[in-house]
Amino acid sequence: SGITFIKGTAAIDNFWFYKLEFGSGQLPAEWSLIKELHYQPVVNGILGDWNTGALPEGVYTLRLVVVDITGNFPQPCQVRVNIDR
């Protein structure tokens, strides 16, 4: 179906929101938001789902950005993903 569930943790002190983004290649020049911002922290659970069905095969980078109420965020978490059908 092309739906991939993303599991992990998005929780920091003074949590405001988190977002999931993806970019093409190992060092993306641009990032695309996966769905919407999430305003509830998650600990060891489902962060969201990503519909990869329309994307061409190849290497992508998935990025998790967690933002606090002051607008600051720690270093985003990034993982390389291979889409192969």
Side-chain angles (χ1 to χ4, degrees):
S1 68
I3 302 294
T4 301
F5 290 96
I6 302 163
K7 297 179 182 180
T9 295
I12 58 174
D13 289 340
N14 299 311
F15 176 90
W16 182 16
F17 69 88
Y18 72 89
K19 61 183 177 176
L20 295 166
E21 301 173 309
F22 75 95
S24 181
Q26 292 186 40
L27 297 170
E30 296 182 9
W31 297 95
S32 298
L33 182 66
I34 299 173
K35 296 197 176 182
E36 68 280 336
L37 302 180
H38 301 268
Y39 292 95
Q40 295 296 320
V42 174
V43 176
N44 296 322
I46 301 292
L47 296 169
D49 60 81
W50 181 22
N51 185 351
T52 60
L55 295 173
E57 290 185 347
V59 174
Y60 293 84
T61 300
L62 179 64
R63 177 166 82 171
L64 168 65
V65 181
V66 184
V67 181
D68 71 17
I69 58 174
T70 66
N72 291 314
F73 52 91
Q75 182 72 28
C77 177
Q78 298 181 17
V79 295
R80 190 179 75 196
V81 177
N82 293 312
I83 295 178
D84 185 17
R85 293 179 197 28

